[in-house]
Amino acid sequence: LNAYKNSLDSKVTKYKIFKSKNFPYLDLLSKTAIIQNRKDNVKGLGITTIDLSNNIRINLKKTDFKHNEFLFRVSFGPGKKSEPVSKPGLAIVSESVIDSSGFGKLDMDQLEETLAGRKISIRFGINEDYFYLSGSSDSNEAELIVQLIYHYFNDTGMRKEALNLFKTRYKQNYDQIIRTPDGIMQIKGDLF
């Protein structure tokens, strides 16, 4: 009731229509890397490995699981093992905040609007030994995926709203799991 009464005193501002940005909005590098090494059919698994001069390795494997689907994973950095001992849980928070923030110049809603009509998914994650960006798209969207990855590295968004949403969801989840035997096992048993 108080929230409603306070809202009556607030001035209503005119809705601002979001103007979609052309994507990619960052200048892409025109440098090209040189292939230093290429191995085909690695260990008889049908994997092609390409080592580039900029210390990037590309592993490719063609499959027939789903027609016209492109799956990807970009692995980098030390992952969860770099989490400071003094900040346990930082990896869990980071995953959620980065995944829900969009980019510096596009919040998540704007990014979704910019990509509307395209079958693309991309997410940030943290494994024990590495960080990653992974997802899928139609094979004809491969160039756009590379541009999205580039933007994640060069214009990462970290929004306070995403952190607040994570805190709210975490509290709701915690309040729920402390009432079940499985939840108590997660909290106390796993730690033991």
Side-chain angles (χ1 to χ4, degrees):
L1 184 59
N2 287 337
Y4 171 73
K5 287 178 182 176
N6 290 338
S7 73
L8 294 176
D9 297 333
S10 300
K11 184 177 179 183
V12 177
T13 57
K14 186 175 180 180
Y15 174 72
K16 292 180 185 175
I17 297 174
F18 165 68
K19 185 177 178 186
S20 292
K21 294 184 187 251
N22 289 333
F23 196 85
Y25 58 85
L26 293 179
D27 291 332
L28 301 175
L29 297 175
S30 60
K31 294 180 183 178
T32 55
I34 298 167
I35 295 176
Q36 290 187 321
N37 189 23
R38 178 184 172 133
K39 294 178 188 171
D40 290 316
N41 200 21
V42 176
K43 297 183 180 180
L45 298 172
I47 298 170
T48 299
T49 297
I50 302 169
D51 294 319
L52 303 177
S53 59
N54 58 1
N55 293 323
I56 290 177
R57 173 174 281 171
I58 302 170
N59 295 313
L60 302 169
K61 179 168 173 80
K62 187 173 183 171
T63 66
D64 58 359
F65 296 134
K66 274 192 176 175
H67 178 68
N68 203 30
E69 183 180 53
F70 172 72
L71 301 173
F72 67 93
R73 178 174 285 223
V74 178
S75 304
F76 58 96
K80 192 174 181 179
K81 68 182 177 185
S82 66
E83 180 179 79
V85 176
S86 62
K87 296 183 175 158
L90 184 61
I92 297 168
V93 175
S94 301
E95 252 183 350
S96 179
V97 171
I98 291 172
D99 229 14
S100 303
S101 290
F103 297 133
K105 294 180 183 168
L106 292 175
D107 66 27
M108 202 61 189
D109 290 336
Q110 294 167 333
L111 179 60
E112 287 175 2
E113 186 174 327
T114 300
L115 299 175
R118 296 179 162 168
K119 187 179 171 187
I120 292 175
S121 72
I122 186 168
R123 71 173 293 270
F124 171 76
I126 301 176
N127 201 325
E128 198 63 38
D129 296 333
Y130 58 88
F131 304 106
Y132 64 89
L133 291 168
S134 67
S136 65
S137 76
D138 289 335
S139 57
N140 60 346
E141 298 286 8
E143 183 177 343
L144 180 59
I145 288 294
V146 173
Q147 293 168 356
L148 283 165
I149 292 166
Y150 181 82
H151 281 65
Y152 263 100
F153 282 115
N154 292 285
D155 191 32
T156 305
M158 303 230 211
R159 292 193 162 62
K160 188 163 183 82
E161 304 85 41
L163 177 60
N164 292 338
L165 180 61
F166 168 79
K167 289 177 181 178
T168 301
R169 288 179 177 163
Y170 191 84
K171 182 182 181 321
Q172 290 170 346
N173 184 46
Y174 184 81
D175 289 345
Q176 183 179 357
I177 67 173
I178 62 171
R179 294 178 173 85
T180 66
D182 289 343
I184 295 299
M185 185 62 183
Q186 285 178 358
I187 296 168
K188 300 199 182 224
D190 291 349
L191 182 61
F192 174 76

